[in-house]
Amino acid sequence: MMVFMEQSKTNRNHPEKGSNITVEPIRRLEDIKAIKKLLSDKPRDYLLFTMGINNGLRIGDLLKLKVKDVQGVKPGETVRVREQKTGKDNVLVVNKATYKALMQYLIEAEPSPEDYLFKSQKGNHPLSVSYANRLIKSWCRQINLRGNFGTHTLRKTFGYIQRVHYGVGFELLCKRFNHASPAITMRYLGIEDKEVNGILMNEI
């Protein structure tokens, strides 16, 4: 009981009022697995989380997808997406994890082709960005993650895992994010200091 009260007082996954808000990635693979387990019986939310962390697209661009946009897409294929914020073309890549989550959702939910992929329970409308933000905060809170999390968490998690666990260069991530420069991508992912310290540990 004391632990619960202490956590609720500090509001572990949201900053104090008036503080500088920086939305964080999910850095540990075990935490990603914990959220997937949490959402295993919620196919829509599981798909949103899986698609978000496997593509690095903005949440608003995912929420505008309709079922017909992804029906029949096989692993390795892409879906063209026009970014709302930049007006630039980008692609949604359906890897094996995304494909598995998509098939589970389509089989269990049986949506029609004209339905939004991430449909609200109130008619054929997509989830709002603010509602998706609350969902993501809730998922992180339920597995006791410390920090501030929100809609950019999924996008940042993609970049962080690609960089730290798979060694993908900032130049490639910059292109994926449609950032103006790799320096922006470094700041966006919040791992610049760790990268520099890691280089200094290399022996010559």
Side-chain angles (χ1 to χ4, degrees), residues 10-201:
T10 57
N11 202 354
R12 293 166 56 118
N13 74 339
H14 197 277
E16 292 183 10
K17 187 175 181 180
S19 64
N20 186 31
I21 298 176
T22 301
V23 178
E24 300 176 47
I26 300 169
R27 295 177 170 84
R28 303 194 313 163
L29 294 175
E30 51 262 48
D31 291 329
I32 291 174
K33 290 179 181 177
I35 291 179
K36 285 188 172 184
K37 184 177 180 180
L38 177 72
L39 303 178
S40 60
D41 61 346
K42 299 176 180 178
R44 183 201 65 184
D45 294 355
Y46 185 91
L47 176 60
L48 179 61
F49 180 72
T50 302
M51 188 175 282
I53 65 173
N54 278 279
N55 271 278
L57 294 173
R58 292 181 181 85
I59 198 80
D61 295 325
L62 294 179
L63 295 179
K64 72 179 182 181
L65 289 170
K66 289 194 170 185
V67 172
K68 65 182 180 182
D69 296 327
V70 296
Q71 271 185 326
V73 177
K74 304 297 182 187
E77 294 182 344
T78 61
V79 176
R80 188 156 295 281
V81 174
R82 175 62 63 92
E83 293 185 347
Q84 291 178 316
K85 182 175 181 178
T86 67
K88 297 177 181 178
D89 284 335
N90 210 328
V91 292
L92 167 73
V93 179
V94 180
N95 63 11
K96 289 182 179 179
T98 301
Y99 179 77
K100 183 178 178 181
L102 177 61
M103 288 301 101
Q104 178 186 357
Y105 173 69
L106 294 179
I107 290 170
E108 293 192 24
E110 297 183 334
S112 70
E114 290 298 328
D115 284 345
Y116 282 97
L117 190 60
F118 303 107
K119 189 172 74 166
S120 167
Q121 294 179 343
K122 300 175 182 178
N124 186 27
H125 303 287
L127 296 178
S128 67
V129 172
S130 61
Y131 184 77
N133 189 63
R134 291 196 297 272
L135 280 177
I136 294 164
K137 286 183 180 294
S138 173
W139 302 338
C140 294
R141 184 170 58 248
Q142 288 180 72
I143 67 164
N144 296 316
L145 273 185
R146 291 182 179 273
N148 182 48
F149 303 96
T151 51
H152 273 272
T153 289
L154 305 189
R155 182 169 157 89
K156 287 188 176 185
T157 297
F158 164 80
Y160 185 91
I161 297 298
Q162 291 292 339
R163 177 61 190 157
V164 173
H165 291 277
Y166 292 107
V168 176
F170 284 114
E171 293 80 6
L172 285 176
L173 291 173
C174 172
K175 183 176 177 63
R176 177 58 184 155
F177 285 140
N178 268 334
H179 284 163
S181 72
I184 293 174
T185 304
M186 291 173 71
R187 290 195 299 271
Y188 181 72
L189 297 179
I191 57 177
E192 185 173 3
D193 290 342
K194 181 178 287 188
E195 289 285 324
V196 172
N197 291 342
I199 290 171
L200 296 175
M201 288 300 294

